[in-house]
Amino acid sequence: MKQRIFSGMRPTGKLHLGHLLGALQNWEFLQDEYDCVFCIVDWHALFSEYEYSKDIKENIIEMALDWIACGIDSKRSIVFVQSHVQEHLELQMILSCITPLGWLERNPTYKEQLREVKTRDLQTYGFLGYPVLQAADILLYKAAAVPIGEDQLPHIEFTRELSRRFNFIYKKELFPDCKAILTKTPRLLGIDGRKMSKSYQNAINLSDSEEEVTDKVKQMYTDPKRLKLKDSGHPDECNVFSYYDVFGSDQKDDVRHWCTQATKGCTECKMILADKILEKLDPIREKRAELEKDRSIIEDILQEGAAKAKALAQKTLAEVKEAVF
Ligand code: TRP
Ligand code: SF4
């Protein structure tokens, strides 16, 4: 029997290279080894996007298109939308009863977001409880492991502690311990050298056209000390070079050579990189375009996924209620 993994992503906008390398590529690969449940967590999006909630519907479809185009296989894995399976909210409510307030207030991810996020008011009752819903997501499917980025580690730790507390209070080994599967993400910055993020408008999106990709690569910041073609460059201080790490590692020696010896200019260096990135993105864009022709395909996938998820969720929730009442 394969172990089960669960992961989720908030539908807050277009997916970019960071999502591909940081999550989707890994998910695709995990499908061989695990029973996978992949969830578009729209309730989690609502916690921060409550004033822009009308966008969520379209973002869900866009996200599903990106996922399937990147190789998430709805035949092997369960792909669904969180709000289609009401059991998530029911378990969240039950778990919230046993969640000590201090665990939520102390959560480093929570504190960081209150500090960092300037464009949303996150001082709400709902947002404080974000990790409780995340724990419900994971525990509803009794997932053994959760592939996530490092920033999510506190939430997995929280889930483990909450599940133990549940098992202890209700004297039942109902929930297994879950562990994190950390993705070794190559650090890929945005085209302006800051963290790649939709809100900085510095991301290369999975759905960008060839022209958009080439254009964005052309705009990338390079070694600021290399002003003229005959200046020798410092590849280790150049964002373009770090992209070669991910998209053309076989060519890194060549790049280092032409950069330090000033035998090729930055424009040419970028054009070669753009081709490398397109090699990766072309098949994804083509598959996406194909899927987009008939949106009922995606809608059917999500509906089927919800039915499969619901069957698992109902079973766990019945056990939970049996333990509690
Ligand atoms: N909090 C996660 C993020 O922002 C998304 C998420 C919600 C999630 N529920 C989950 C991730 C359950 C893993 C498992 O990335
Ligand atoms: Fe960067 Fe390439 Fe220019 Fe060197 S040649 S500075 S690696 S863009």
Side-chain angles (χ1 to χ4, degrees):
M1 259 256 299
K2 286 182 182 173
Q3 284 195 321
R4 182 173 297 136
I5 64 173
F6 183 99
S7 200
M9 231 185 249
R10 288 172 303 127
T12 53
K14 284 189 169 150
L15 298 190
H16 52 62
L17 285 181
H19 296 109
L20 176 65
L21 300 160
L24 291 172
Q25 235 171 234
N26 194 40
W27 291 8
E28 185 199 3
F29 174 74
L30 288 166
Q31 293 180 118
D32 296 333
E33 255 178 85
Y34 294 91
D35 273 332
C36 297
V37 184
F38 297 124
C39 183
I40 299 175
V41 289
D42 52 347
W43 289 131
H44 277 106
L46 193 63
F47 282 139
S48 62
E49 305 304 295
Y50 53 88
E51 287 186 89
Y52 312 91
S53 51
K54 294 287 179 218
D55 297 338
I56 295 178
K57 219 179 198 168
E58 179 60 20
N59 287 342
I60 289 172
I61 300 295
E62 295 286 335
M63 177 164 274
L65 285 167
D66 280 330
W67 283 12
I68 305 294
C70 287
I72 302 304
D73 177 0
S74 62
K75 295 263 180 313
R76 284 192 289 163
S77 302
I78 299 179
V79 179
F80 78 108
V81 179
Q82 188 184 36
S83 69
H84 294 179
V85 180
Q86 290 165 18
E87 283 74 6
H88 288 249
L89 295 185
E90 215 171 328
L91 183 56
Q92 178 209 23
M93 192 276 151
I94 298 171
L95 292 176
S96 75
C97 299
I98 65 161
T99 304
L101 211 41
W103 292 12
L104 296 173
E105 288 164 342
R106 257 188 268 122
N107 172 5
T109 309
Y110 174 67
K111 290 200 287 193
E112 185 190 304
Q113 296 208 299
L114 284 192
R115 246 190 349 259
E116 300 293 325
V117 178
K118 301 274 187 273
T119 56
R120 303 283 186 272
D121 182 359
L122 299 178
Q123 304 272 2
T124 61
Y125 159 68
F127 190 67
L128 178 67
Y130 185 110
V132 184
L133 181 57
Q134 184 160 349
D137 295 341
I138 297 165
L139 298 176
L140 207 42
Y141 302 93
K142 298 189 179 177
V146 185
I148 37 137
E150 207 159 349
D151 64 311
Q152 293 294 310
L153 272 179
H155 290 161
I156 304 306
E157 185 66 20
F158 172 89
T159 300
R160 210 165 25 234
E161 282 176 356
L162 195 59
S163 68
R164 287 181 188 160
R165 186 167 159 80
F166 182 97
N167 292 348
F168 174 76
I169 292 177
Y170 299 110
K171 300 183 182 55
K172 197 161 182 197
E173 284 303 306
L174 210 158
F175 296 123
D177 270 352
C178 66
K179 68 169 200 294
I181 300 177
L182 272 186
T183 322
K184 279 191 261 19
T185 338
R187 238 171 98 75
L188 205 60
L189 298 171
I191 57 172
D192 58 359
R194 294 189 290 170
K195 180 181 175 223
M196 190 180 283
S197 158
K198 175 188 72 141
S199 49
Y200 293 156
Q201 298 193 315
N202 63 0
I204 296 176
N205 296 319
L206 300 184
S207 54
D208 280 350
S209 67
E210 295 207 7
E211 293 69 38
E212 284 170 312
V213 173
T214 314
D215 226 50
K216 286 179 179 177
V217 174
K218 275 190 200 158
Q219 292 170 37
M220 279 175 79
Y221 291 9
T222 55
D223 172 14
K225 294 195 214 83
R226 191 176 186 206
L227 299 173
K228 296 194 282 313
L229 178 60
K230 65 176 187 353
D231 296 339
S232 62
H234 307 80
D236 296 309
E237 287 160 47
C238 177
N239 195 20
V240 173
F241 189 64
S242 64
Y243 270 62
Y244 270 98
D245 229 353
V246 179
F247 294 100
S249 52
D250 52 324
Q251 255 194 324
K252 275 188 82 180
D253 290 342
D254 300 339
V255 182
R256 190 177 286 284
H257 185 263
W258 74 52
C259 181
T260 54
Q261 305 304 309
T263 56
K264 272 196 208 311
C266 292
T267 311
E268 194 179 350
C269 184
K270 287 174 172 180
M271 287 304 98
I272 297 168
L273 173 66
D275 281 340
K276 295 268 178 195
I277 297 175
L278 287 172
E279 245 172 64
K280 185 112 196 161
L281 289 187
D282 283 345
I284 295 173
R285 189 177 337 93
E286 278 159 27
K287 183 149 182 216
R288 201 183 193 284
E290 191 57 42
L291 283 164
E292 243 186 315
K293 282 188 200 148
D294 180 3
R295 290 214 165 191
S296 70
I297 299 173
I298 282 291
E299 282 158 14
D300 288 349
I301 287 175
L302 294 177
Q303 214 170 0
E304 257 173 59
K308 288 189 229 165
K310 199 169 177 75
L312 298 170
Q314 279 178 332
K315 186 163 173 287
T316 306
L317 195 64
E319 291 169 0
V320 167
K321 287 185 175 170
E322 175 73 30
V324 174
F325 297 110

